[in-house]
Amino acid sequence: TFDRVGVTYGRGNKTTTALVDFNLRVAVGETVALLGPSGSGKSTALNALAGFVRPATGTVRLAGRDVTDLPPAKRGIGVVLQSYALFPHMRVYDNVAFGLTSRRVPRGEVASRVAEALDMVGMSAYGKRLPRELSGGQQQRIAIARALAIRPSVLLLDEPLAALDAQLRQSMLAELQRLKEALPDTAMLYVTHDQGEALALADRIVVMKDARLMDVDTAENLWKRPPTSFTAAFLGGANLIPCTVGRVIGTSALVTFAHKTVSAEAPQPTVGRADWAPHSKALLCIRPHAVKVVGLGDRDALRAKVNAAVWRGATTRLTVSVHGLPDQVIDVDVPGATTYDLGAEIGLRFPEPAGVLVQCP
Ligand code: ADP
Ligand code: MG
C-alpha cells in the first residue's frame, strides 16, 4: 500500500519532485502495471516500495505493516531491473543463491530453492555458467530466478524487457504471463512505458504523468472508457476530436464536429467527472482501427485528405486532415498494404457509436 507517498530528489534549489501524493493498494496475487512516459515517476514509486528511496511524505505498508523506514533487505521483496544487475564474477547458481545466503538460509535448503527458482524460469541446466556466457534473455531469466528464490510476497519488475530485442520481448512476455499464473499469491508491480506489456500482464493499470497517478483501472475499462485525454492517447494512441455535446440519453449522446452529427458513448459521470451537459465541449475518442475509408460518393462520408501513409505490416497507418476540422489530423488504420497518393481525397466513415466521450483537459 502506498499512502500519500511523495518523493523529492536533491536539496536546496536543485530539487526534483518525482512523486506527488501517490496512493495505491495492490492486493495479494494482483499484478498492477505502472505505465507512463519516461520521467513520470514510475521507477521512483517502485523504489519507494523496495526501500531504495526514502519518501519525503506518506507511508509504505506491506501486509498492513509500516515499512517506510525498514531497510530493503528486510522487506522480503524481489526486485528485477532492466539492467539485470547480476554479479559478473559469480556463477548463475551463486547469483540466484545470493539473497538466500545473505539471509542465512541453511545450505541444504539453499540448494533446493535455487533449483526450484531456476526451474521456474527454465534455466536449470545453466547453474555453472557465468553471466557473460549467457544471452540477454537468459541473463534476465536468472535475474528473475534470483528475485524469486527468496519467495517474495511482492515482486517488483522495472522495465524488465526493455533491453531485449522485439522477438525475445514477445517470448519473455509469454513467460512472465506463465510465471504470474504459477505465483497466485505474489503481488506484482510491473513498471513499463510499453502499453502492450501492460495490457498483456496487468490486472490493473496505473497511468502516470508528471509525478502523479493520472488514472487507475482495469486495462479493459481504461481502454474502452478512458477517464482522461492523456490516458486515451497514451493507451492505444486514440484520436481525440473536439466536439460539441448535443442530446444525451443515458449513456448515449449525439455530438457534432465538422458540421456532422454522430452518436457517441457518454460514460456515466463519476466522482470528480462532470456531467455531459448539452452544448458543452468534449473530446470524441476514436481508435484508428475503428475508422473506415470509403468512397467520396458514400452518403454520410466525411471528406479527408491523405497527408501520410505508412505501411506497418498488418495495417497501413494513414494520417489525414478532415474537411471542416482545421488544425486536426486523424490517424486511420486500414488493413493490409494499401497505397495512396499523398494529397488524395478520401471519404471516412465512423462506426455507431463513433467513439466514446472524454472530458477536455
Ligand atoms: P520513470 O521511471 O517514470 O522514467 P523516474 O521515477 O525514474 O521516472 O524519475 C522521475 C523524475 O525524477 C525524473 O524527472 C527524473 O529525472 C528524476 N530522478 C529520478 N531519479 C533521480 C535521482 N536519483 N536524482 C535526481 N533526480 C532523479
Ligand atoms: Mg524508470
Side-chain angles (χ1 to χ4, degrees):
T1 302
F2 295 84
D3 191 359
R4 315 203 65 168
V5 173
V7 175
T8 307
Y9 293 109
R11 54 185 60 198
N13 56 4
K14 287 194 83 178
T15 62
T16 305
T17 305
L19 202 61
V20 179
D21 199 21
F22 187 77
N23 294 298
L24 179 66
R25 214 187 125 92
V26 183
V28 171
E30 190 184 23
T31 299
V32 173
L34 297 184
L35 177 70
S38 177
S40 57
K42 306 180 298 293
S43 295
T44 299
L46 183 134
N47 288 333
L49 183 56
F52 301 142
V53 303
R54 174 80 177 80
T57 56
T59 51
V60 178
R61 285 193 294 274
L62 285 170
R65 176 181 177 215
D66 184 343
V67 297
T68 317
D69 293 313
L70 207 63
K74 293 227 160 91
R75 298 190 184 193
I77 289 180
V79 183
V80 179
L81 304 173
Q82 174 183 336
S83 58
Y84 325 138
L86 297 174
F87 303 110
H89 58 287
M90 278 163 55
R91 296 191 183 277
V92 163
Y93 180 95
D94 296 307
N95 264 286
V96 176
F98 185 80
L100 299 170
T101 43
S102 63
R103 281 175 177 77
R104 301 188 197 291
V105 172
R107 192 181 295 185
E109 198 185 331
V110 169
S112 66
R113 288 190 34 189
V114 170
E116 176 192 284
L118 285 176
D119 185 49
M120 289 198 81
V121 297
M123 291 292 289
S124 299
Y126 294 81
K128 291 205 172 69
R129 298 262 188 113
L130 285 167
R132 67 164 179 271
E133 296 166 336
L134 301 172
S135 72
Q138 289 171 332
Q139 289 186 48
Q140 191 55 298
R141 284 195 184 88
I142 300 307
I144 293 169
R146 182 176 59 181
L148 292 178
I150 62 163
R151 294 192 183 141
S153 56
V154 176
L155 185 60
L156 306 180
L157 303 115
D158 192 347
E159 313 231 12
L161 309 184
L164 308 177
D165 62 62
Q167 201 180 355
L168 196 54
R169 206 151 54 221
Q170 221 38 57
S171 69
M172 282 294 284
L173 198 52
E175 281 196 39
L176 287 174
Q177 279 177 324
R178 198 175 42 74
L179 202 61
K180 181 185 151 181
E181 298 304 316
L183 299 166
D185 299 326
T186 307
M188 285 199 223
L189 202 55
Y190 188 96
V191 164
T192 181
H193 64 268
D194 181 304
Q195 49 146 332
E197 290 176 20
L199 291 172
L201 283 174
D203 300 310
R204 285 188 301 153
I205 297 177
V206 169
V207 179
M208 305 278 302
K209 186 197 176 206
D210 299 339
R212 290 170 198 273
L213 183 154
M214 278 297 280
D215 292 313
V216 52
D217 207 335
T218 62
E220 188 185 355
N221 284 345
L222 288 183
W223 174 274
K224 286 189 176 161
R225 286 173 290 276
T228 58
S229 55
F230 182 78
T231 292
F234 199 80
L235 202 64
N239 294 301
L240 293 163
I241 303 172
C243 63
T244 306
V245 179
R247 198 152 50 94
V248 183
I249 299 172
T251 57
S252 175
L254 291 176
V255 302
T256 305
F257 67 92
H259 315 297
K260 214 163 199 68
T261 298
V262 299
S263 69
E265 185 187 348
Q268 290 287 352
T270 52
V271 185
R273 179 151 81 181
D275 218 331
W276 304 109
H279 312 300
S280 65
K281 299 279 176 213
L283 296 169
L284 179 59
C285 165
I286 305 181
R287 300 285 169 189
H289 67 266
V291 185
K292 295 274 173 293
V293 174
V294 295
L296 277 171
D298 193 283
R299 204 167 61 90
D300 293 340
L302 210 61
R303 282 182 88 88
K305 195 172 67 145
V306 177
N307 299 336
V310 179
W311 181 44
R312 298 176 151 199
T315 56
T316 300
R317 163 71 53 102
L318 306 181
T319 305
V320 306
S321 18
V322 174
H323 197 74
L325 265 186
D327 310 323
Q328 173 95 22
V329 293
I330 296 186
D331 290 331
V332 180
D333 285 341
V334 295
T338 323
T339 47
Y340 288 91
D341 293 329
L342 296 191
E345 297 266 328
I346 57 171
L348 297 181
R349 203 171 52 206
F350 299 111
E352 272 281 324
V356 60
L357 288 184
V358 175
Q359 212 79 59
C360 294

